Amino acid sequence: MEIIVGKLCGFCAGVNYTVKKATELLEQTNENIYCLGEIIHNERVINKLEKMGMITVNSLDEIPEYSKVIFRAHGEAKHVYEEAEKKHLEIIDLTCGKVRLVHNKVEKASSDDFVIIIGKKSHPETIGTLGYAGKNSYVIESEEDFNNLKEAYTNSKLNKVYIVAQTTFNDLLFAEYIDKIKKLLDAEIIVDNTICAATRNRQEETLEMSAHVDKMIIIGGKHSSNTKELATVAQENCNDIYLVQELEDLMNVEFNESDKVGITAGASTPKDSIDEIVNYLKENYNAKEA
C-alpha cells in the first residue's frame, strides 16, 4: 500500500495557540476554569483538557460569578462579552485572531452596509460573527437562503453590501454564492473573502491529492466544519471517502495492499490522531509513504 499524507494536515496556527494557552493556564492554577462551548471541535483534545480541570459548559448561566471563563477559538458574539462582564467573570479570550479580525470588520461595516455572512448558521463562529453584524444582516448557508435575500436587502434601505465568509467555509462554494449574489442584488457589493488561508490551502491540497488515490481518509472531530469541508472537496475526485475521528472508526474498513490512500486532517486534529492511523496502515498493510 502506498499512502500520501497531507503536508498541511493537523492543527492550524489559531487552534495551536488556543490549545497551548488553555493547557498552560490549566497547568498553572487549581481554580475552576470554565469554557463556554467546545474549545475546539475535537473530542480527544477536549477530554484531555477536561482531565486537567477545564469545565465545559453550554451557557454562562452555568458559571458562578467571579469565575474564570475561556472564550473558545470560534469566538463569541458581542453581547456574550457584555453578559460575562455583568457576572464579573474573568474572560480568557482565546478567539482565533483571524476570527476576531472578521468581527472587527463586520462591526465597522454594519453602520453603513447590509452585511452578508456566508457560512453555516448553526456553527458557533457564524453565530459569533452575526452578533457584530447588527439588524441589517443576513446569513447564507445553502441555495434556499437566496429565496429571501433580495427582500431582506430591500427592506434594509441600504445601498451597499458587505460580504464575509465563515473562515472554514468551502472556498469553491463561496465563489459560487458570490456570483449568485451579484446577479440577484442591484447594489454596490464589497466582497471580503475571509476564508482562512490555512483552510483554503488544505482544501486545495485535498482536491489535488484526491485525484491520485483510490481511497481518502480524512481525520477530524465529528463537529468540525473544516474537516467536513475537506471530505466534500475530496468527493470531487474520489469515490471512497472515510471521514473518521479515531482509529477505531477504521476497523470495519477493508483495505488492500495494492491501494493508494490519501490521508489528511482538519485544523483541529491533533498530530497523535494522525500518527495512530498512519502507523496502523504501516503495521497492518505494509504501507509506505510516498
Side-chain angles (χ1 to χ4, degrees), residues 11-286:
F11 280 178
C12 66
V15 168
N16 187 61
Y17 169 81
T18 296
V19 174
K20 181 181 178 182
K21 288 295 183 182
T23 301
E24 290 174 354
L25 183 67
L26 291 164
E27 288 174 340
Q28 294 167 5
T29 183
N30 293 320
E31 296 179 63
N32 286 337
I33 297 179
Y34 297 84
C35 182
L36 185 59
E38 294 184 343
I39 190 165
I40 63 170
H41 285 154
N42 187 278
E43 289 184 15
R44 176 180 289 204
V45 174
I46 292 170
N47 290 339
K48 181 179 179 180
L49 293 174
E50 287 182 340
K51 286 178 181 178
M52 295 178 68
M54 185 181 77
I55 302 169
T56 303
V57 297
N58 295 314
S59 168
L60 291 179
D61 293 338
E62 301 174 55
I63 306 175
E65 288 189 340
Y66 299 98
S67 299
K68 292 182 177 179
V69 57
I70 292 172
F71 282 3
R72 56 190 171 171
H74 303 108
E76 297 293 341
K78 187 175 182 179
H79 71 87
V80 179
Y81 286 84
E82 295 167 352
E83 291 168 11
E85 289 172 2
K86 288 178 182 177
K87 289 196 71 170
H88 310 287
L89 300 179
E90 181 182 339
I91 299 170
I92 302 151
D93 195 349
L94 300 185
T95 303
C96 171
K98 293 181 179 178
V99 173
R100 190 180 293 113
L101 181 60
V102 176
H103 290 176
N104 294 339
K105 288 180 172 183
V106 165
E107 186 172 30
K108 183 178 180 181
S110 65
S111 59
D112 299 309
D113 303 344
F114 182 77
V115 176
I116 296 176
I117 303 164
I118 297 178
K120 297 183 178 179
K121 295 176 182 177
S122 62
H123 194 279
E125 181 191 325
T126 302
I127 294 169
T129 301
L130 188 62
Y132 288 86
K135 63 178 182 178
N136 292 313
S137 57
Y138 195 85
V139 179
I140 295 178
E141 177 178 353
S142 65
E143 295 284 345
E144 293 179 356
D145 297 313
F146 285 91
N147 295 337
N148 299 316
L149 174 59
K150 189 171 184 178
E151 181 182 1
Y153 169 66
T154 301
N155 290 341
S156 75
K157 302 186 185 306
L158 296 171
N159 299 316
K160 289 195 301 179
V161 174
Y162 178 68
I163 306 172
V164 295
Q166 178 185 325
T167 60
T168 55
F169 200 71
N170 184 299
D171 197 42
L172 296 176
L173 193 56
F174 178 77
E176 180 183 321
Y177 284 179
I178 292 300
D179 287 341
K180 289 180 179 292
I181 293 169
K182 288 181 176 179
K183 292 175 182 177
L184 188 63
L185 301 184
D186 181 16
E188 179 185 344
I189 296 176
I190 301 167
V191 179
D192 192 351
N193 187 341
T194 53
I195 295 174
C196 177
T199 296
R200 185 179 297 109
N201 293 339
R202 286 163 197 260
Q203 290 177 5
E204 290 174 354
E205 181 184 62
T206 300
L207 184 65
E208 171 65 20
M209 186 190 304
S210 65
H212 302 287
V213 297
D214 305 304
K215 295 180 173 70
M216 282 287 299
I217 299 172
I218 298 168
I219 311 163
K222 295 175 183 177
H223 302 138
S224 170
S225 177
N226 74 85
T227 304
K228 291 176 183 176
E229 290 301 339
L230 292 179
T232 300
V233 168
Q235 288 170 354
E236 293 286 329
N237 296 316
C238 184
N239 293 323
D240 287 334
I241 310 291
Y242 301 97
L243 181 56
V244 303
Q245 180 168 264
E246 300 287 353
L247 176 59
E248 290 74 17
D249 298 328
L250 276 181
M251 292 298 98
N252 294 323
V253 178
E254 293 186 8
F255 293 98
N256 300 308
E257 290 197 4
S258 60
D259 282 336
K260 191 171 184 179
V261 180
I263 301 173
T264 189
S268 52
T269 305
K271 186 176 183 298
D272 54 356
S273 292
I274 302 166
D275 290 343
E276 278 185 1
I277 288 174
V278 169
N279 291 335
Y280 168 78
L281 295 176
K282 287 181 177 179
E283 292 169 5
N284 290 275
Y285 297 95
N286 196 32

